Amino acid sequence: MTMWIYIWLGVVAFSVMIEFLTMEQVSVWFIGGGIVAMILAAVNVDPVIQIVVFIVVSLVLLLSFRRMVMRFL
């Protein structure tokens, strides 16, 4: 299960790198989802649940905050 921690760490690192390069609020939503999924991987939750939680958290962040963030930019 430790492998999944590194996979989610890679997702978070890649999303941070893309966000710094573009500054267009493209991948910031995946950072939150990746962090939550990484926490789940650390407590040995099933990988299918990790993936579902990653998708749900990322979508919730996208739908909740995108309009607000774009208003300030």
Side-chain angles (χ1 to χ4, degrees):
M1 291 306 242
T2 308
M3 174 188 70
W4 280 98
I5 295 173
Y6 295 116
I7 290 172
W8 295 120
L9 182 62
V11 168
V12 170
F14 183 73
S15 298
V16 167
M17 185 175 57
I18 294 297
E19 192 60 41
F20 278 133
L21 291 174
T22 62
M23 294 298 217
E24 295 287 331
Q25 304 299 324
V26 174
S27 64
V28 70
W29 325 111
F30 301 122
I31 296 169
I35 290 171
V36 173
M38 191 176 359
I39 292 168
L40 292 176
V43 294
N44 292 325
V45 174
D46 185 47
V48 173
I49 295 173
Q50 294 173 32
I51 294 168
V52 169
V53 169
F54 169 75
I55 292 169
V56 169
V57 169
S58 298
L59 283 175
V60 167
L61 289 173
L62 173 67
L63 296 174
S64 302
F65 294 108
R66 181 161 173 81
R67 188 177 306 147
M68 181 178 67
V69 168
M70 295 309 281
R71 191 178 323 151
F72 290 114
L73 291 178

